[in-house]
Amino acid sequence: MSRRSRGSNTWEVRASTLARNTHNLIRDIVENLQVEPNPEKQLIALSVGDPTTFGNLNPPEQVLQAVRESNEWLSSRSYGPAKGHIEARVAVAQYSAHQGDISPEDVVLCSGCSHAIELAITVIADSGQNVLVPRPGFMIYKTVAEGLGINIKHYNLLPDQQWKIDLEDLENQIDDDTAAIVVINPSNPCGSVYDKGHLYEILDIASRNHVPIIADEIYEHFVFSNNEFTALSALSVDVPILTCGGLTKRFLVPGWRMGWVIIHDRHNIFGKEVRQGLSNLASRILGPNTLIQRALPAILTCTPQSFFDEVVLFIENQAKLAFDELRCAPGLRPIMPQGAMYMMIEIKLSLFPNFKNELQFVERLVAEQSVFCLPGQCFAYPNFMRIVLTVPEAILREACKRMIIFCKDHIVSRETIKEIESDIVTVPSDNEVICDNDTAHVA
């Protein structure tokens, strides 16, 4: 960047390289969509990954009371240590015991999980290096990395195998400049939950190639029936892992901005330098919200398990509802999630010749039916769209109804609709109507 000479008669003020190269892909895409809803229908936004948006999901009284009490303490109004107050870090270490043996010194508190992700990337990757992230996957990694000159390389997930990682593709992406592998489990946007066998396969690749892992586990414990969450760090023998988590999703308080990075390093591969580096980076914001820090021990220990169980059961039932409805939508293929709070839906564009891509499909869906889903390009995965499952049941049911109408209105021909509807069969065990055709079934 050229500098003006002293005494210059003109202003020369530009945004920094970091600012110019930082982009939020989701916002970039959404803001450029033509998403004016049908004025005759109330907009249903199935796009925002905030479980509090519709007001039907709220934290329990114990969590709210903890913050009320924190508000009365003088220490909750003061700056805290850059890594967080020791009492809060002790609470996080105890809460996260399922991840392995954790000391409070392994915990760095952050301003939300997105800040934890930023710290994890910037502490182990330099400009010119690359970080491997899943496709489809949450795009905050691209936002954080590219402004710093860190390259993002994608490895593929397999939709026909419940979004497991394509292990061959993952290993093929690793090169001499790879600083870390990001594993999102449970997944945003896919809702997949990896079993121990698959996690061991991932760890084996990381170990053989000597690449550390950033484990994005913000949706830990957000797991549906007959699935089990296992922390990567609990299985690792030698691979160093930075685990990112927080209050956001499980406790239904995303606006409180409380997250953490936990260091798992059994063989001291990270060494003092990475630990000190995290402390240095944490000091850039002088530590996270002290009001929530002071409430954190009570939040993590006093929240009843029944609260978590009820929230997860509600979202699982929502997933079943959306899947049962949308698998009978001509031209759509929903993939039933195993956890988290999202569902990915394939749009079989060959059956919708009026739309060049899923962006146009999503735009028209808003314009005609006032239902807004996130297009797959927000996750580097065209021809799919993502819906959020945290909305009230009646609203989700109405959204699915509108989506089915939209698909029938735009499917390639009326004959195709008749062929699809003729394939509907009844399952004798529960009398549930399902679709048995190649345009609407689970992988």
Side-chain angles (χ1 to χ4, degrees), residues 83-109:
K83 295 197 301 182
H85 283 292
I86 184 61
E87 297 86 354
R89 289 188 284 122
V90 167
V92 171
Q94 293 172 346
Y95 170 78
S96 304
H98 60 281
Q99 297 180 14
D101 187 19
I102 302 171
S103 155
E105 291 306 308
D106 299 323
V107 178
V108 178
L109 298 184

Side-chain angles (χ1 to χ4, degrees), residues 148-407:
L148 299 169
I150 300 166
N151 299 313
I152 291 296
K153 295 179 67 177
H154 293 102
Y155 62 85
N156 290 322
L157 305 184
L158 301 169
D160 294 335
Q161 297 182 35
Q162 285 296 153
W163 300 107
K164 282 187 174 182
I165 292 173
D166 183 334
L167 298 170
E168 182 179 0
D169 185 52
L170 170 62
E171 191 152 22
N172 286 340
Q173 300 304 323
I174 298 173
D175 60 30
D176 291 341
D177 293 321
T178 300
I181 299 169
V182 173
V183 179
I184 308 176
N185 180 48
S187 168
N188 176 8
C190 303
S192 53
V193 178
Y194 298 147
D195 60 30
K196 289 183 181 180
H198 193 51
L199 294 175
Y200 276 123
E201 291 174 324
I202 299 165
L203 287 167
D204 179 60
I205 290 173
S207 178
R208 284 190 284 103
N209 290 278
H210 303 99
V211 179
I213 288 177
I214 298 173
D216 183 342
E217 296 179 351
I218 186 63
Y219 291 99
E220 62 177 357
H221 310 303
F222 244 95
V223 176
F224 300 161
S225 303
N226 302 317
N227 293 277
E228 181 182 0
F229 168 76
T230 302
L232 256 177
S233 55
L235 304 180
S236 176
V237 174
D238 61 333
V239 177
I241 297 174
L242 297 177
T243 298
C244 301
L247 291 182
T248 299
K249 307 299 184 179
R250 194 179 189 212
F251 292 83
L252 305 179
V253 287
W256 288 5
R257 312 311 300 141
M258 180 53 60
W260 48 76
V261 175
I262 301 177
I263 304 167
H264 300 278
D265 188 16
R266 290 187 174 92
H267 299 287
N268 200 33
I269 295 169
F270 283 142
K272 291 183 180 180
E273 186 170 295
V274 170
R275 288 178 178 270
Q276 185 59 49
L278 280 171
S279 296
N280 295 346
L281 291 170
S283 70
R284 288 164 60 92
I285 65 165
L286 302 179
N289 187 324
T290 52
L291 177 68
I292 306 303
Q293 279 191 62
R294 286 309 196 189
L296 201 52
I299 290 173
L300 295 179
T301 58
C302 297
T303 304
Q305 183 62 40
S306 59
F307 162 75
F308 301 127
D309 293 342
E310 289 170 5
V311 171
V312 172
L313 180 59
F314 169 76
I315 296 175
E316 180 175 358
N317 287 336
Q318 293 288 87
K320 291 176 180 177
L321 185 161
F323 176 73
D324 287 341
E325 294 289 328
L326 295 178
R327 65 179 166 175
C328 291
L332 298 186
R333 181 176 73 119
I335 299 178
M336 180 67 185
Q338 300 165 309
M341 46 186 251
Y342 310 103
M343 177 183 288
M344 287 288 277
I345 303 166
E346 182 182 8
I347 305 168
K348 300 206 169 188
L349 286 171
S350 61
L351 299 176
F352 300 101
N354 291 331
F355 305 124
K356 294 180 180 178
N357 51 46
E358 93 277 6
L359 296 176
Q360 291 186 358
F361 184 97
V362 167
E363 286 179 344
R364 189 73 67 83
L365 180 60
V366 174
E368 295 183 13
Q369 295 294 337
S370 293
V371 176
F372 185 25
C373 311
L374 273 190
Q377 289 187 31
C378 290
F379 311 100
Y381 210 74
N383 303 333
F384 276 73
M385 61 183 178
R386 189 199 76 176
I387 65 170
V388 174
L389 301 168
T390 52
V391 304
E393 178 184 342
I395 293 177
L396 182 60
R397 195 177 294 278
E398 172 64 19
C400 291
K401 176 183 174 182
R402 295 186 195 177
M403 291 164 72
I404 292 171
I405 292 172
F406 179 82
C407 288

